[in-house]
Structure formats: C-alpha cells, structure tokens
C-alpha cells in the first residue's frame, strides 16, 4: 500500500502565482496517485503566512472545490517563511507518512518529486532537492549564494550546498524535527543534523512565473546571519583572535616607538595615531555587534514565545 504524502507550501502575498501553482501541483498529485506512488488521500497543504492580498481567499476557494486535495492553514500574523513552513509540517505530522516542502512560485522543478518518492521507497528518510544550475539567477545572487555556502562550511555548519527548502521528510524525521524547540529557525541547517539516511536529487531551478521575490537583499542578509549564529560560535572565537592580533601589533608599535625615541628620531605620529584609533574603534564596534547578535538570539530563545499562531485550518 502506498504511503500518504502532503506537499506543504508556505505562501506570503502569492495571489499572482497561486492559482497556477495549485493547478500544476494538483495535476501532479493525480498523476502520482494513478501510478500508485502515493496514497489516494494524499493532499496539498498551503500555509498563508499573514498575507495582505487575496492569497487566503484563493486557498479557501480551492479548498471548497476539492476539500480532499487542497488543505489550508492561515497564520494569525506574518511569522516568517521558516515558521510558516514549520507550521505546515507540524500541522500534518501525525496525518501523513511523508511530506515534501517547496515554495509557491514553482521555481523548484516539480517533475523530480516522483524521483524523491522513489528515493524514499528505497529507505531514505530525507531527500534533498539540490540545484545543479543557477544560470537563471542574477550574477549577484549566484555569487552571494556561493559565498554563503562556502562561508557556512568554513564556520562548521552542516548544510547541503545549493539546497533551500525543497525536500522530502519521512514521518520519523518529522517526529525528530518536532523536538527542536529553538525560535531562531534555520531549517536547512537543522534538518541535516537529524542524521537519518539521506540522499539528493538534482534539478534546474526555473524562473519565477509571476509576482516578485519575497526575499529582497536585506532579508537574505538577515537569513544568512540567522544561519551562521544558529550553528556556529566561530565568529565569537574570531573576535578573540582579532584581539590577540591587535595586542601583538600594539607591542610592535611600542617597541618601534621606543627604538625611534632612543635613536633620536622624532616622528609626529598624527597620521598613524589617527588611523589606529579609527581601526581599533571599528573593530570594537564590529565585535560588539557580533556579540550583540548572539545575545539577541539568547533573548529571543529564553522568552519562549510561540513561533507562530494558527488562526484557521481548512483540513478535511
């Protein structure tokens, strides 16, 4: 007997693309059912992350048309992509055998979902969708993404290169994910730490069909900082090395000044003093900023506020 699948799709202001996304995913779901790869009661789950447009209206309308295929979940406010995704995964965790998460813009190639399920049937509990071509990205996005993954690897964080949130997770993997209680979510890093048997499928990412990206530059930077500070303390260790280096430089500067004084060389030193003060002042502020980021994360964790609040559920 085939296993029950839920495709979980977080949505934020996606009215321009959502009708086509639902049409294509519903068609794919029917094909998979006909091939008996998934159970007949498998479903699509769309999570509205506090959208201000007609996103929820579209989800509700499609649910009324086909309540067995299209399910919906509406969060009370915008909680962020990662929280919306987690809300959907946890909402269906006890109802399905596996889930596949993906974005609403259908830039992820849905044709590899069948291959993901085949990998699951072979015993893999985590199947990561990995991009093998970034030609559709701008030069800046392609370069910044490459630098991000290299930096994360250097920091010691376990991530799958060129993998975002297009992945299959088994019910057992979801049960383990539920045990992670942190508020500072970076799911693509958390999931890799679960440690169950995993594999990868490769695909070419498409261009967005309609609408605009919900990840402008400032959100991408904030997301990268969240990932780094969630999985590595190396930035704080680097502060210590910078401090040691500054002390060594200052010792050499003192020795140089003393030697110059006893040799009778009079140097005004205004330029070097000015540059040194600005350099050290900048390093101090940068170090305080890095420490502040970690303290801020601790502050958010200890308050233990809910990561999301579900306002409405449209389940069968």
């Amino acid at each position: 007997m085939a296993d029950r699948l839920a495709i979980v799709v977080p949505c934020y202001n996606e009215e321009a693309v959502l009708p086509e996304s639902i049409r294509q995913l519903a068609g794919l779901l029917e094909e998979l059912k006909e091939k008996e790869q998934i159970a007949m009661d498998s479903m699509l789950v769309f999570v509205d992350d506090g959208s201000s447009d007609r996103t929820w209206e579209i989800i509700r309308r499609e649910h009324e048309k086909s309540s067995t295929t299209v399910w919906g979940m509406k969060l009370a406010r915008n909680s962020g992509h990662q929280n919306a995704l987690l809300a959907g995964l946890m909402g269906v965790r006890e109802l399905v055998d596996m889930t596949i998460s993906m974005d609403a813009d259908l830039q992820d190639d849905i044709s590899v979902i069948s291959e993901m399920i085949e990998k699951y049937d072979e015993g893999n509990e985590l199947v990561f969708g990995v991009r093998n071509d970034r030609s559709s990205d701008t030069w800046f996005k392609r370069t910044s993404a490459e630098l991000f993954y290299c930096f994360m690897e250097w920091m010691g964080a376990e991530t799958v290169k060129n993998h975002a949130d297009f992945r299959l997770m088994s019910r057992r993997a979801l049960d383990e994910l539920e045990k992670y209680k942190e508020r500072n979510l970076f799911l693509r890093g958390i999931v890799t730490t679960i440690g169950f048997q995993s594999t990868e499928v490769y695909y070419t990412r498409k261009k967005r069909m309609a609408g605009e990206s919900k990840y402008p530059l400032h959100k991408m930077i904030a997301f990268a900082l969240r990932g780094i500070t969630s999985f590595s303390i190396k930035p704080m260790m680097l502060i210590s090395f910078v401090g040691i280096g500054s002390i060594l430089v200052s010792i050499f500067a003192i020795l140089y000044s003393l030697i110059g004084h006893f040799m009778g060389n009079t140097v005004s030193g205004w330029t070097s003093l000015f540059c040194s003060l600005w350099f050290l002042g900048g390093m101090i502020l940068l170090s305080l900023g890095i420490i502040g980021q970690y303290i801020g994360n601790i502050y958010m964790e200890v308050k233990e506020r809910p990561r999301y609040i579900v306002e409405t559920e449209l389940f069968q």
Side-chain angles (χ1 to χ4, degrees):
M1 183 176 177
D3 288 340
R4 194 182 195 192
L5 167 70
I7 299 179
V8 179
V9 185
C11 310
Y12 178 66
N13 290 343
E14 296 287 3
E15 67 173 349
V17 73
L18 196 54
E20 180 62 19
S21 299
I22 294 175
R23 186 190 70 80
Q24 290 192 29
L25 288 172
L28 174 70
L29 214 62
E30 292 305 313
E31 291 178 14
L32 295 174
K33 290 176 183 178
E34 290 174 5
K35 293 192 295 184
E36 297 184 348
Q37 275 195 286
I38 59 175
M40 295 303 292
D41 55 353
S42 297
M43 79 293 290
L44 308 173
V45 181
F46 294 90
V47 184
D48 179 14
D49 185 23
S51 299
S52 57
D53 63 359
R54 296 176 56 253
T55 294
W56 180 245
E57 181 182 332
I58 294 170
I59 295 172
R60 184 170 54 192
R61 183 187 67 207
E62 295 298 328
H63 174 74
E64 291 172 355
K65 289 181 182 178
S66 179
S67 61
T68 57
T69 300
V70 179
W71 292 11
M73 177 183 289
K74 179 178 174 59
L75 303 188
R77 59 183 296 275
N78 179 243
S79 301
H81 176 273
Q82 298 289 279
N83 285 317
L85 175 54
L86 184 68
L89 294 174
M90 294 300 104
V92 298
R93 178 174 62 90
E94 298 181 352
L95 305 175
V96 299
D97 301 297
M98 56 180 164
T99 62
I100 291 177
S101 57
M102 61 184 303
D103 293 337
D105 55 20
L106 290 190
Q107 288 186 275
D108 298 320
D109 187 1
I110 64 174
S111 66
V112 302
I113 287 179
S114 177
E115 184 181 352
M116 284 181 160
I117 297 170
E118 290 175 2
K119 298 292 186 182
Y120 164 80
D121 290 336
E122 292 172 4
N124 296 287
E125 306 212 44
L126 297 167
V127 183
F128 300 103
V130 179
R131 297 176 62 174
N132 58 8
D133 180 16
R134 302 192 72 102
S135 59
S136 61
D137 288 344
T138 62
W139 175 88
F140 175 78
K141 190 169 184 179
R142 186 165 58 248
T143 305
S144 59
E146 194 72 24
L147 289 173
F148 169 73
Y149 287 112
C150 291
F151 189 67
M152 288 292 290
E153 183 178 355
W154 181 65
M155 284 289 174
E158 295 182 23
T159 57
V160 178
K161 190 175 182 181
N162 289 324
H163 163 70
D165 289 301
F166 185 32
R167 72 179 72 90
L168 180 149
M169 298 184 68
S170 69
R171 165 71 179 276
R172 192 159 76 106
L174 289 173
D175 288 341
E176 295 304 316
L177 178 62
E178 195 272 337
K179 297 176 182 178
Y180 288 76
K181 302 301 182 182
E182 58 213 69
R183 269 67 184 163
N184 193 37
L185 281 180
F186 186 70
L187 288 176
R188 68 185 69 175
I190 291 175
V191 171
T192 58
T193 66
I194 292 175
F196 291 155
Q197 181 175 326
S198 64
T199 190
E200 302 169 358
V201 298
Y202 296 90
Y203 70 99
T204 300
R205 190 169 171 87
K206 304 175 183 177
K207 291 185 177 180
R208 186 180 177 88
M209 289 190 301
E212 298 179 352
S213 172
K214 303 307 182 294
Y215 261 88
L217 179 60
H218 71 278
K219 284 192 175 181
M220 290 172 62
I221 293 173
F223 187 66
L225 288 174
R226 186 183 309 136
I228 293 167
T229 56
S230 293
F231 286 90
S232 177
I233 61 169
K234 270 193 176 181
M236 299 189 75
M237 295 172 63
L238 289 174
I239 292 173
S240 300
F241 290 119
V242 169
I244 293 171
S246 298
I247 292 172
L248 292 175
V249 170
S250 66
I251 290 172
F252 283 115
I254 291 170
L255 291 175
Y256 175 78
S257 299
L258 290 173
I259 293 171
H261 173 74
F262 289 116
M263 291 182 66
N265 295 328
T266 304
V267 181
S268 60
W270 285 108
T271 302
S272 59
L273 179 62
F274 180 80
C275 293
S276 298
L277 286 174
W278 275 98
F279 175 76
L280 292 175
M283 292 305 302
I284 290 170
L285 290 174
L286 175 62
S287 301
L288 287 174
I290 294 173
I291 295 171
Q293 182 71 36
Y294 280 95
I295 294 174
N297 289 346
I298 295 170
Y299 173 67
M300 296 302 294
E301 295 291 338
V302 298
K303 287 191 295 185
E304 296 188 352
R305 290 179 179 174
R307 289 173 289 199
Y308 54 84
I309 297 175
V310 178
E311 181 179 313
T312 309
E313 287 184 349
L314 299 177
F315 287 3
Q316 186 179 356

